[in-house]
Amino acid sequence: MSRRLRIPPIPSSEITAESAYISRRAFMRSAALLATPLAAGVGSPLLAAEARSGMALRYADAAAGPAGFNTDEAQTPFEDVASYGNFYEFGTDKSDPARYAGQMTVDPWSVEVDGAVGKPGKLNLEDILAVFDLEERIYRLRCVEAWSMVVPWVGFPLGDLLQRFEPQSSARFVEFRTLYRREEMPGTRSFTSIIDWPYREGLRMDEAMHPLTLIAVGLYGRTLPNQNGAPLRLVVPWKYGFKSIKSIVKIRLLERQPATSWQSLAPREYGFYANVNPEVDHPRWSQRYERRLPSSLLRPNRVPTRMFNGYAEQVAGLYKGMDLSRLY
Ligand code: MTE
């Protein structure tokens, strides 16, 4: 992670209200894609944003999702979610993903699942979208760098996907890998690149099967923008954002805890668990507060960080008896 916190590149005055998106929610249990032709190049920033974020998704409204999972806090405008982020494959600046991730080819796409499963195999994106019911989940996302967002994701529980491959009783961990395609990912070619590619993450099996753990295929009712991890990414809302690995191509069930990118790089700074915890500071900064996007120098929008990012009621039980200052 970079050493300095950066201010989002888009001043909040230029950010579009999202009420227009939110009012258009349709209740549909089908996971089919609606191939809506989009008006590219239209002057309105809202339409331009829609064009960049791809096709409309059919999904169940947040109100239909599990009670207590969705926050009613103000949602971070689409423009901020799509323009400020981390995707080191495209560079380390917060604006690099939006600038360069368009180079990534996301069609065709498939995800391979193997390891300790009864039925290893590959699913292509069309099959995934046809099989799983999509729902909207409005989650907080808290980066370890102390900025945060509220995002209306569209996706399905990771557990539903894993079940199809019949996890064996020996499976205790899950490893995820991101696409690694040097020619399309300038950050992986950079001589300053510090990550041993591909980007890797992992979860304990009970964390992976927890109903909060989501595979997102969209946000704000549209397919994921490339910079946010198209065509599918993990979202683990009670953990620091680096666990929410983007653009997944491989999932492996394991008996042992896998080595993950940030933990391998700086184990004193980034743990395997990475549960959001205001009591355990990062060695170089406090984790007590966060900047909720949109944030600017004049309006930093600083809010207190909550234990397990506000999801303690749902997940604290997973960590009973564990010393979270040691297993950070
Ligand atoms: N996944 C990959 N493959 N590469 C990355 O650099 N960055 C992580 C995570 N997933 C990252 C990644 C970090 S540090 C954060 S905070 C979130 O993505 C940011 O997600 P967003 O850009 O959609 O907000």
Side-chain angles (χ1 to χ4, degrees):
M1 310 284 148
S2 60
R3 278 166 196 265
R4 283 179 302 120
L5 293 178
R6 293 194 185 89
I7 303 301
I10 297 187
S12 47
S13 59
E14 287 177 25
I15 285 158
T16 315
E18 292 304 334
S19 48
Y21 288 112
I22 296 154
S23 62
R24 289 192 262 119
R25 297 290 138 86
F27 181 90
M28 292 179 189
R29 293 299 293 171
S30 155
L33 273 172
L34 264 181
T36 317
L38 289 165
V42 181
S44 139
L46 190 65
L47 286 175
E50 282 186 294
R52 274 202 304 283
S53 64
M55 293 181 284
L57 287 164
R58 289 184 175 192
Y59 57 94
D61 209 349
F69 280 13
N70 296 301
T71 174
D72 55 10
E73 288 163 81
Q75 295 172 22
T76 303
F78 173 87
E79 290 290 350
D80 282 283
V81 177
S83 65
Y84 184 94
N86 285 323
F87 201 164
Y88 272 45
E89 285 84 340
F90 298 98
T92 55
D93 196 272
K94 293 288 173 281
S95 59
D96 284 341
R99 191 170 301 144
Y100 300 117
Q103 301 171 23
M104 175 171 64
T105 309
V106 297
D107 180 18
W109 195 275
S110 60
V111 180
E112 194 180 356
V113 183
D114 64 14
V117 289
K119 286 190 177 158
K122 223 178 207 184
L123 271 182
N124 62 40
L125 185 66
E126 297 75 54
D127 294 337
I128 292 172
L129 289 168
V131 164
F132 298 104
D133 286 345
L134 301 183
E135 52 182 285
E136 182 171 72
R137 298 277 186 94
I138 306 164
Y139 283 167
R140 291 174 287 275
L141 178 100
R142 177 26 165 110
C143 181
V144 72
E145 296 165 331
W147 52 269
S148 66
M149 313 189 286
V150 173
V151 185
W153 303 105
V154 179
F156 56 89
L158 169 67
D160 291 356
L161 176 71
L162 296 182
Q163 289 293 10
R164 290 186 71 83
F165 295 88
E166 299 182 2
Q168 294 171 339
S169 55
S170 60
R172 292 187 53 232
F173 293 92
V174 188
E175 185 204 60
F176 305 86
R177 292 180 184 220
T178 293
L179 175 77
Y180 173 35
R181 202 178 278 148
R182 277 174 63 85
E183 62 281 15
E184 295 181 1
M185 297 176 152
T188 66
R189 302 193 301 265
S190 159
F191 70 96
T192 55
S193 159
I194 44 174
I195 292 176
D196 175 22
W197 309 104
Y199 191 100
R200 280 163 237 190
E201 255 312 328
L203 293 173
R204 221 168 53 187
M205 197 64 189
D206 57 346
E207 299 173 326
M209 300 307 288
H210 193 282
L212 270 175
T213 304
L214 201 69
I215 290 286
V217 295
L219 54 83
Y220 272 113
R222 301 265 148 176
T223 52
L224 277 180
N226 279 13
Q227 59 269 32
N228 294 102
L232 81 174
R233 68 171 297 169
L234 190 65
V235 180
V236 196
W238 71 95
K239 293 178 178 283
Y240 290 122
F242 66 88
K243 300 296 289 182
S244 291
I245 181 173
K246 296 177 170 180
S247 306
I248 297 168
V249 290
K250 185 144 184 114
I251 299 177
R252 180 168 281 173
L253 276 67
L254 301 166
E255 292 173 26
R256 287 170 194 276
Q257 185 175 307
T260 56
S261 292
W262 284 103
Q263 197 196 16
S264 305
L265 203 64
R268 282 195 54 257
E269 304 195 11
Y270 310 106
F272 177 81
Y273 284 94
N275 292 316
V276 174
N277 189 341
E279 307 290 326
V280 178
D281 285 341
H282 184 278
R284 291 186 274 125
W285 59 82
S286 162
Q287 294 291 27
R288 291 215 158 270
Y289 289 88
E290 62 205 57
R291 287 184 305 118
R292 176 66 54 84
L293 302 188
S295 147
S296 66
L297 269 184
L298 292 179
R299 285 190 43 242
N301 207 11
R302 205 162 165 258
V303 298
T305 288
R306 295 160 68 187
M307 188 65 203
F308 295 114
N309 202 23
Y311 300 96
E313 201 183 312
Q314 289 91 354
V315 301
L318 300 177
Y319 308 102
K320 241 191 205 127
M322 278 173 56
D323 177 355
L324 298 180
S325 62
R326 205 173 56 80
L327 293 165
Y328 51 84

